[in-house]
């Protein structure tokens, strides 16, 4: 028996288990591709279920009129994938050899897996302030969030004074979005000028509901069950003060889970996986596809992640149908793109 024959050999390996990963698994399983999901390990940033495991209520995912708990949504997706025969390993992938066909993957425990196709769905983690009470209130639904579009319309944020931390376009977009629901939005920025584009900065500064706390950082989050306020420090004078708020939205960026992909596939300057053909999930390496927040640095929503998970599974299925031929698959992709599908 050869070395390759002695190792686990899969048609489709999906790395990650958020909305993108489980949707890809559902589609691949129904296509009888017998997908194998490496869902992530507890010890690293890519946890099983992804970032929705920290979301207490999801109100903008289609099909749930009254909303759905984030953990419940992910467990339902997982059970749906398992129903069609998806197999799961609760570990991380730490290495991918893109030069070997089939691809060679190595997991945390040292297990080696051979894969004809790989779908990267490892997601991205929001950057936090790193304050002791911040994560506790974020995970319990106590009024701390890293996604204004996801959570800003929830009833307990309406008519409140809400704080947004950050100075980039995302922070301005979040602040403007929150003005639809909040009594006032306080943008807390550690500098005296924004990093946001001029048009976004102008829109935010022209909005009478938005107040700017310049040269200011958050040093403490107050509240037991729910947030009640913030301790702020002036970066120039060192003076501290308290600000009563009914919600805190941290908008200082995201970190894609791509450290193990450096040198494997082409990454954008910001670390996200590059998919060079518009409306396709193929990466720079034929046979490796990407879906969800690991390749989406713009929308970062559960529903868009699920959509790209579907696309990646269909792309992988077509790749396998061509026998893994880069030339045939690329020709088909280019032909379809030329005629609009």
């Amino acid at each position: 028996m050869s070395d390759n024959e002695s190792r686990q050999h899969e048609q489709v390996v999906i790395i990650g288990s958020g909305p993108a990963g489980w949707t890809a698994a559902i589609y691949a399983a129904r296509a009888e591709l017998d997908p194998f999901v490496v869902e992530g390990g507890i010890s690293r940033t890519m946890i099983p279920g992804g970032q929705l495991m920290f979301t207490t209520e999801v109100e903008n995912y289609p099909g749930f009129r009254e909303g759905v708990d984030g953990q419940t949504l992910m467990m339902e997706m997982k059970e749906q994938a398992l129903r069609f025969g998806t197999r799961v390993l609760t570990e991380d992938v730490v290495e991918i050899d893109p030069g070997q066909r089939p691809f060679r993957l190595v997991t945390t425990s040292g297990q080696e897996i051979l894969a004809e196709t790989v779908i990267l769905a490892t997601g991205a983690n929001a950057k936090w302030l790193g304050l002791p009470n911040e994560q506790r209130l974020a995970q319990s639904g106590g009024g701390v969030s890293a996604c204004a579009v996801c959570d800003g319309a929830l009833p307990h944020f309406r008519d409140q004074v809400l704080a947004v931390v950050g100075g980039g376009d995302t922070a301005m977009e979040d602040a403007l979005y929150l003005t639809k629901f909040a009594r006032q939005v306080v943008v807390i920025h550690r500098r005296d000028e924004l990093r946001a584009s001029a048009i976004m900065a102008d829109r935010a500064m022209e909005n009478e509901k938005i107040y700017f706390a310049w040269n200011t950082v958050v040093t403490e989050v107050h509240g037991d069950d729910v947030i009640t306020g913030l301790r702020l420090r002036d970066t120039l004078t060192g003076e501290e003060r308290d600000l009563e708020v009914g919600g805190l939205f941290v908008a200082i960026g995201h970190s894609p889970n791509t450290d193990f992909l450096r040198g494997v596939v082409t990454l954008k300057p910001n670390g996200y996986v590059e998919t060079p053909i518009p409306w396709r999930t193929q990466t720079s390496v034929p046979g490796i596809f990407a879906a969800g927040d690991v390749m989406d640095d713009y929308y970062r929503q559960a529903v868009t992640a699920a959509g790209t998970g579907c696309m990646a599974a269909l792309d992988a299925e077509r790749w396998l149908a061509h026998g893994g031929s880069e030339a045939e698959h690329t020709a088909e992709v280019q032909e379809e793109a030329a005629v609009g599908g």
Side-chain angles (χ1 to χ4, degrees), residues 102-320:
F103 303 110
R104 184 179 69 91
L105 285 62
V106 181
T107 70
T108 313
S109 66
Q111 179 176 341
E112 293 190 2
I113 305 168
L114 300 179
E116 296 295 333
T117 60
V118 175
I119 296 176
L120 306 172
T122 51
N125 294 332
K127 295 179 181 178
W128 295 95
L129 301 175
L131 301 175
N133 207 27
E134 173 192 39
Q135 281 295 293
R136 186 182 67 82
L137 290 176
Q139 294 180 23
S140 67
V144 177
S145 171
C147 182
V149 176
C150 306
D151 301 326
L154 294 175
H156 55 269
F157 289 128
R158 292 178 180 269
D159 299 318
Q160 299 284 330
V161 175
L162 304 178
V164 174
V165 178
D169 278 350
T170 298
M172 297 308 103
E173 289 171 359
D174 285 359
L176 288 163
Y177 178 78
L178 292 172
T179 59
K180 300 177 182 179
F181 318 104
R183 185 168 74 251
Q184 184 184 54
V185 178
V186 180
V187 175
I188 301 169
H189 188 41
R190 59 183 177 176
R191 299 188 179 92
D192 60 0
E193 61 180 0
L194 299 171
R195 294 180 290 105
S197 60
I199 188 170
M200 290 303 300
D202 289 345
R203 286 176 182 173
M205 288 190 283
E206 290 170 1
N207 192 302
E208 59 186 22
K209 274 193 172 184
I210 297 177
Y211 168 80
F212 287 86
W214 303 107
N215 299 311
T216 301
V217 294
V218 180
T219 60
E220 190 175 346
V221 179
H222 300 310
D224 295 325
D225 296 327
V226 296
I227 187 173
T228 58
L230 304 171
R231 172 62 59 87
L232 306 179
R233 185 180 73 239
D234 189 301
T235 59
L236 300 180
T237 67
E239 180 182 353
E240 293 194 340
R241 65 186 177 93
D242 288 330
L243 173 68
E244 291 186 8
V245 299
L248 169 64
F249 293 85
V250 181
I252 57 176
H254 288 73
S255 297
N257 295 318
T258 56
D259 285 348
F260 76 109
L261 295 174
R262 297 187 183 280
V264 177
V265 296
T266 299
L267 303 179
K268 300 177 185 178
N270 59 7
Y272 287 77
V273 175
E274 182 176 82
T275 50
I277 302 175
W279 289 97
R280 292 294 184 272
T281 63
Q282 181 177 296
T283 68
S284 60
V285 178
I288 298 182
F289 307 91
D293 287 7
V294 75
M295 50 77 79
D296 176 12
D297 56 2
Y298 187 77
Y299 295 104
R300 291 193 295 264
Q301 299 296 303
V303 67
T304 51
T308 56
C310 161
M311 293 162 62
L314 294 176
D315 284 344
E317 180 184 5
R318 291 179 178 181
W319 168 263
L320 290 168

Side-chain angles (χ1 to χ4, degrees), residues 33-44:
L33 296 178
D34 196 23
F36 187 75
V37 173
V38 186
E39 67 173 345
I42 301 298
S43 62
R44 290 183 57 192

